[in-house]
């Protein structure tokens, strides 16, 4: 019998409320309060650069690098590619525990993982298989602070009007 998660304790209420329309079942939001989720519009082509800028902005908010991850929904971030090529898969995953640097990952590899602060880079068209599920995973990885970067039309394609409204897009 599958495990049904009907209570969310991990994410702040503000974060969980953005992805609850994508959850497979109804969910009671029991996490603490936190800052509002930030949506930063950017074309799919510009999303990586804008996401990098938002990760830098987290330092200005006082976040430590080890608490931040930048995860992509489309192509992997160049830093992730470089780490995987230079350090191998084991060395790359060892960087997840590095308290001195941001972790760069892809939503498909980040399922089941979390960071206190996430910059979610929606750098794709939104038409790939299981788009809503991948968006759900991406939106639910942050425990305390979530910044979503992407094209509002792509977010609408992937998550629907309810997710857009909860991100302040309509």
């Amino acid at each position: 019998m599958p495990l049904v998660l009907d209570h969310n304790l991990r994410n702040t209420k503000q974060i969980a409320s953005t992805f609850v329309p994508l959850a497979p079942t109804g969910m009671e939001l029991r996490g603490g309060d936190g800052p509002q989720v930030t949506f930063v519009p950017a074309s799919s082509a510009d999303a990586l650069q804008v996401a990098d800028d938002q990760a830098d902005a987290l330092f200005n908010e006082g976040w430590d690098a080890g608490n931040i991850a930048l995860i992509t929904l489309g192509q992997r971030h160049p830093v992730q590619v470089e780490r995987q090529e230079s350090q191998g898969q084991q060395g790359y995953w060892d960087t997840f525990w590095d308290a001195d640097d941001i972790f760069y990952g892809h939503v498909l590899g980040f399922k089941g993982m979390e960071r206190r602060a996430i910059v979610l880079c929606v750098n794709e068209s939104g038409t790939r298989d299981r788009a809503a599920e991948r968006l759900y995973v991406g939106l639910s990885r942050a425990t305390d602070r979530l910044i979503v970067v992407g094209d509002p039309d792509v977010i609408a394609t992937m998550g629907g009007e309810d997710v857009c409204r909860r991100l302040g897009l309509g």
Side-chain angles (χ1 to χ4, degrees), residues 58-75:
L58 287 170
F59 291 115
N60 294 333
E61 290 181 17
W63 289 93
D64 293 327
N67 290 320
I68 302 169
L70 189 156
I71 57 176
T72 60
L73 278 134
Q75 289 187 335

Side-chain angles (χ1 to χ4, degrees), residues 10 93 96-97 103 109-115 140-142:
R10 180 168 46 101
W93 283 109
F96 181 78
W97 307 106
F103 182 78
F110 215 76
K111 194 170 186 176
M113 302 174 92
E114 65 185 36
R115 270 288 197 273
S140 63
R141 300 302 91 200

Side-chain angles (χ1 to χ4, degrees), residues 39-56 69-78 104-105 118-126 147-155 158:
F39 179 79
V40 180
S43 69
S44 295
D46 295 335
L48 273 175
Q49 180 58 54
V50 175
D52 282 335
D53 294 343
Q54 292 303 309
D56 289 342
L70 189 156
I71 57 176
T72 60
L73 278 134
Q75 289 187 335
R76 294 176 295 159
H77 192 283
Y104 293 86
I118 294 284
V119 177
L120 177 62
C121 179
V122 183
N123 57 334
E124 67 159 278
S125 66
I147 300 171
V148 180
V149 175
D151 184 320
D153 292 334
V154 172
I155 300 293
M158 295 179 83

Side-chain angles (χ1 to χ4, degrees), residues 11 71 95 106 147 165:
N11 312 94
I71 57 176
T95 68
H106 189 275
I147 300 171
R165 187 176 65 255

